[in-house]
Amino acid sequence: MNFEILKTKTQEILSSDETIDERLLKICELLEANIDYYHWVGFYFKNGKKNELKLGPYVGEPTDHIIIPFGKGICGQVAVSNENLVVPDVAAQDNYIACSITVKAEIVIPIFVNGENIGQIDIDSNTPDPFTKEDERFLEFVCKEVSKIL
Ligand code: SME
């Protein structure tokens, strides 16, 4: 399935009347099932007023990292930088929180509501250096659509 079809499916899922978490889980399932190098797909959101992220809906191996302080790991860095972070080789990153030894690469794209960075989509890949600018543009689209229902 190409990115254009996945964009349409994303909009369809988000426009349903299910709960936010149900819709977000379906987005995770859609991406993990249809993009062969997406092996763990999940959402983290700012935990209330605290400077930390809390794990939201995800698919893939269970992770111990339910709470991530701002600044820590790839996710925590994006919480403070407000910018996409693409890591082609996680072994080369010193500020990285390993979830599984099979993971080779990671991409994190922030989600903005009214200009505020309120969360992110996080994708792990077991394939080395798999993410392109097209993934970034596609995931920015997904995050923008998600922001509309939050
Ligand atoms: N690797 C992430 C932690 C979250 S897991 O990938 C699910 C990080 O360094 O922030």
Side-chain angles (χ1 to χ4, degrees):
M1 210 180 281
N2 67 34
F3 284 139
E4 289 312 309
I5 296 173
L6 290 172
K7 283 183 182 180
T8 306
K9 297 247 180 221
T10 295
Q11 287 174 317
E12 282 169 13
I13 289 168
L14 291 174
S15 66
S16 90
D17 56 8
E18 294 173 302
T19 66
I20 288 174
D21 276 2
E22 282 169 342
R23 285 180 273 172
L24 294 182
L25 179 61
K26 284 193 172 166
I27 299 291
C28 296
E29 289 167 347
L30 175 77
L31 302 195
E32 193 273 337
N34 289 288
I35 303 176
D36 60 2
Y37 52 93
Y38 286 15
H39 296 109
W40 189 98
V41 180
F43 290 93
Y44 280 94
F45 291 102
K46 187 175 191 319
N47 191 13
K49 290 202 161 72
K50 296 182 189 165
N51 283 335
E52 63 184 31
L53 295 164
K54 187 171 178 208
L55 182 61
Y58 71 95
V59 292
E61 269 186 58
T63 174
D64 291 338
H65 306 291
I66 311 296
I67 299 289
I68 299 179
F70 278 17
K72 299 276 185 214
I74 313 298
C75 297
Q77 291 180 65
V78 170
V80 291
S81 72
N82 305 325
E83 284 173 8
N84 299 348
L85 187 48
V86 182
V87 181
D89 174 10
V90 293
Q93 255 278 346
D94 46 19
N95 191 359
Y96 170 67
I97 304 166
C99 281
S100 156
I101 51 160
T102 61
V103 174
K104 297 283 192 297
E106 181 160 356
I107 184 169
V108 177
I109 308 290
I111 300 170
F112 299 98
V113 173
N114 299 325
E116 189 194 345
N117 180 352
I118 54 86
Q120 52 192 237
I121 192 166
D122 175 22
I123 292 156
D124 287 342
S125 181
N126 300 338
T127 307
D129 195 8
F131 303 115
T132 67
K133 287 284 169 203
E134 279 195 297
D135 291 279
E136 283 192 71
R137 298 296 89 78
F138 168 64
L139 294 168
E140 284 167 356
F141 175 89
V142 172
C143 287
K144 203 163 185 187
E145 293 301 306
V146 165
S147 75
K148 294 177 186 170
I149 68 158
L150 297 177

